[in-house]
Amino acid sequence: MSTFAGQLDAFAHLSLVDFEFRALNGSRPDVVCMVVRDYRSGEVRRYWRDELVNLRECPFPVGPTDAMVAFYASAELGCMLERGWRLPSHVIDLFAEHRVQTNGLQLPTGNGLLGALAWRGLARIDVAAKDAMRDKILYQSSWTQNERTEILDYCASDVEALTVLLDFMSPTLDLPRALLRGRYMAAVAKMERTGIPIDTELRQSFVEGWQRARVELVKTVDAEYGVYDGLRFKLGRFDEWLRVHGIPWPRTDAGLLKLDDDTFKEQSAVWPLLKPLRELRQALTSMHVPQLPVGPDGRNRSLLAPFASKTGRNQPSAKRFAFGLAAWQRGIIRPPEGWGLAYLDFSSQEIGIAAGLSGDPRLIEAYECGDPYLAFGKQAGFAPPDATRESHARVRDICKTVVLGLNYGLGAERMAYQAGIAPSLAAELIQRHHIAYPRYWRWSEDTVTSALLSNQMSSIFGWRRKITEIDRPTSLMNFPMQANGAEMMRIAAIAATEGRIEVCAPVHDAFLIAAPLEQLDDAIRHMREIMSRAGYHVTGGVHIRTDAKVIRYPGRYMDERGVDMWNRVVRLIDRPDAIY
DNA sequence: TCTATATCACCC
DNA sequence: AAACGGGTGATATAGA
């Protein structure tokens, strides 16, 4: 490892940076202070907010021969964007590197700066003190002279901790890949800053009308049952109601009544008395007030949580991120006046990756012909050569379940249930998949085997995952597709944000972009080109297609699965003008 | 009244 | 109901 110890010497300047800032409820960051330390000289400089406002340029070196080091750099880079500074040419993010080094392990200390230090036996700061200080920064808007000093000291102590961590981690860094991940953190900072445009006026109607609407609904329906306590469904009362009416009910392993919609569906087929209750439960579960953080400029902003999942995907909070909401609620995404949006997703991304990485010629052919599901049907002799999407819709659906399911080891039983076919047919189709794509299956088995032997897996740009006894083979099977899909998204995000594309958000296999109406078509063309190149690069030569959903003001975003529910709800809250 | 666990709904 | 990958979060209950 000593050969790598000096790898950071290649940089003229290494600046370790930490900002403190307030990021409240969808607003862009309000920068409080910054501390920067020059790694070589050890010189530390502190800047309070008023000094930062007066700095037209970044006060530490950010040129092509320099690097910035931070922990969770999207935060620092977001503050730099807020100040209007140029971003560093090179970023090393020790959070991303810590995740790469420990991904797959159970870390009792978590993934924060202190946790990363503690896990390496380098604990230094009291966590409780850190939390107290964070509150002081977040929930105050002015500070006494003493508090200023306190906050700057705290910020400086984080920079010191960062220095210790860099000392420890620098010999083990995979520098070129660390720089790629750092570059992605800059893309994250830009996407987080752009945010997702929201119909704020309609959202307000949701917030105001919702509670009343659902209370009325429960009152009306529950009069027949008496199983609700306010808005709460009470198991005990329902149990009693069932006993009184002599209705048997399935239970969970733990002995509780099963309450999922499938159970209600089956039971209400036998006991029609239950139907209104089922409908009520369905309506209520998806009806919670959206608590999206939306800034004064009408943009939904939340942490994208890069590198959070085992496969390296972003993992933003489902309730704070507009694309984490239920499909029908996304109708509140709407371009501002004069603007348009485009939702661009990779088509059948994981199949394209499986084809490219395995190098299976028939799977590549199936993907590139445009309809991998029907192509499988034909290659497996399950559909005639002249079958089309229209002539063999049902066959295509079955093939889709098979092709998608086998990417992560779906068994015959469950595949049969899901596709609505006999288990024997499911088994037969799985068999034919093996025969149609032998090279894919050999590659998949080899990947899992070597993962089990080496206790780790990695994607093409070095996102790693350690394997332990608790990992199921099916999880390992799916890793290459999901992790490399995340790589594809990262390089596309980098290219787009370093170009002139306004990227609102990444969504696992898609991007939402925004542009003024007259530039929208150009932006879409440009973005699709970028995504296509990313796909080609990651798969080693497969042409990954993209689909586009375009929304022009005054239109709104809508997921087709959510149209009915959306229309029901906007009527309920008395906003028929918003019917889609 | 708090926390831990189980179950469920939802997303790509 | 069900050996399908990666997740977040709400709700209900049991247990301390």
Side-chain angles (χ1 to χ4, degrees), chain A residues 187-296:
Chain A
V188 167
K190 289 175 192 166
M191 294 188 288
E192 285 180 349
R193 181 176 177 78
T194 300
I196 301 165
I198 298 295
D199 183 343
T200 51
E201 186 259 339
L202 181 62
R203 178 172 167 273
Q204 195 50 39
S205 297
F206 272 76
V207 172
E208 286 162 6
W210 219 307
Q211 188 64 9
R212 190 181 46 77
R214 63 201 299 212
V215 167
E216 269 172 35
L217 207 58
V218 173
K219 250 190 228 158
T220 320
V221 181
D222 190 48
E224 286 297 312
Y225 305 91
V227 295
Y228 276 85
D229 177 11
L231 288 173
R232 285 207 159 170
F233 185 87
K234 302 302 281 184
L235 256 184
R237 290 197 199 172
F238 185 52
D239 203 358
E240 175 63 14
W241 185 90
L242 288 170
R243 200 186 56 75
V244 169
H245 290 77
I247 298 176
W249 201 269
R251 289 178 181 269
T252 65
D253 292 343
L256 303 172
L257 294 170
K258 284 190 65 73
L259 295 176
D260 59 297
D261 189 55
D262 254 16
T263 303
F264 264 93
K265 186 178 167 188
E266 281 162 23
Q267 290 289 85
S268 49
V270 186
W271 313 91
L273 187 56
L274 286 159
K275 270 187 189 153
L277 186 58
R278 177 184 175 219
E279 280 163 16
L280 175 65
R281 286 179 54 83
Q282 279 182 317
L284 285 180
T285 52
S286 49
M287 280 179 66
H288 54 90
V289 179
Q291 294 178 333
L292 278 191
V294 179

Side-chain angles (χ1 to χ4, degrees), chain A residues 454-474:
Chain A
S454 63
N455 290 320
Q456 62 169 14
M457 305 188 86
S458 61
S459 68
I460 60 164
F461 301 141
W463 177 256
R464 271 191 304 166
R465 165 184 181 177
K466 307 224 190 218
I467 309 298
T468 67
E469 322 72 56
I470 64 168
D471 294 305
R472 291 202 295 230
T474 45

Side-chain angles (χ1 to χ4, degrees), chain A residues 374-548:
Chain A
L374 204 50
F376 163 64
K378 293 174 187 177
Q379 287 166 334
F382 187 57
D386 61 346
T388 65
R389 189 184 279 250
E390 290 74 28
S391 71
H392 289 71
R394 171 81 182 117
V395 167
R396 183 177 179 276
D397 278 348
I398 294 170
C399 292
K400 186 171 177 176
T401 307
V402 175
V403 171
L404 290 178
L406 289 182
N407 265 353
Y408 36 71
L410 185 61
E413 286 282 305
R414 192 152 173 193
M415 180 184 292
Y417 173 74
Q418 213 166 298
I421 56 177
S424 56
L425 177 56
E428 166 78 14
L429 287 171
I430 293 172
Q431 192 57 37
R432 293 197 197 192
H433 193 280
H434 276 84
I435 293 166
Y437 310 118
R439 192 153 159 196
Y440 162 74
W441 282 103
R442 204 158 53 236
W443 168 80
S444 179
E445 283 153 18
D446 287 353
T447 306
V448 173
T449 307
S450 74
L452 291 170
L453 288 173
S454 63
N455 290 320
Q456 62 169 14
M457 305 188 86
S458 61
S459 68
I460 60 164
F461 301 141
W463 177 256
R464 271 191 304 166
R465 165 184 181 177
K466 307 224 190 218
I467 309 298
T468 67
E469 322 72 56
I470 64 168
D471 294 305
R472 291 202 295 230
T474 45
S475 167
L476 311 187
M477 222 171 168
N478 184 245
F479 179 87
M481 272 66 87
Q482 212 176 108
N484 287 302
E487 296 283 20
M488 197 183 291
M489 288 291 291
R490 282 196 286 271
I491 60 175
I494 289 169
T497 55
E498 290 183 0
R500 286 187 306 278
I501 310 251
E502 191 167 318
V503 183
C504 304
V507 194
H508 295 310
D509 67 344
F511 291 101
L512 184 77
I513 66 169
L517 282 171
E518 63 277 10
Q519 294 163 29
L520 185 60
D521 288 335
D522 268 350
I524 292 171
R525 211 170 7 254
H526 188 186
M527 188 67 195
R528 295 182 86 164
E529 174 60 26
I530 285 171
M531 291 172 73
S532 169
R533 283 210 305 274
Y536 192 82
H537 198 69
V538 169
T539 57
V542 179
H543 292 96
I544 305 293
R545 296 176 302 278
T546 53
D547 295 318

Side-chain angles (χ1 to χ4, degrees), chain A residues 48-69:
Chain A
W48 190 249
R49 54 194 295 156
D50 43 0
E51 300 169 83
L52 292 172
V53 168
N54 292 328
L55 285 174
R56 304 292 282 274
E57 286 179 3
C58 180
F60 56 87
V62 291
T65 57
D66 309 310
M68 178 184 104
V69 181

Side-chain angles (χ1 to χ4, degrees), chain A residues 20-24 30-32 48-49 132-148 150-151:
Chain A
E20 302 302 330
F21 60 98
R22 310 186 328 132
L24 294 173
D30 175 20
V31 180
V32 174
W48 190 249
R49 54 194 295 156
M133 195 56 70
R134 174 156 299 163
D135 286 352
K136 181 164 286 192
I137 295 162
L138 265 175
Y139 302 113
Q140 289 181 211
S141 50
S142 66
W143 299 269
T144 65
Q145 196 58 47
N146 263 355
E147 286 172 331
R148 282 188 185 198
E150 225 179 344
I151 291 171

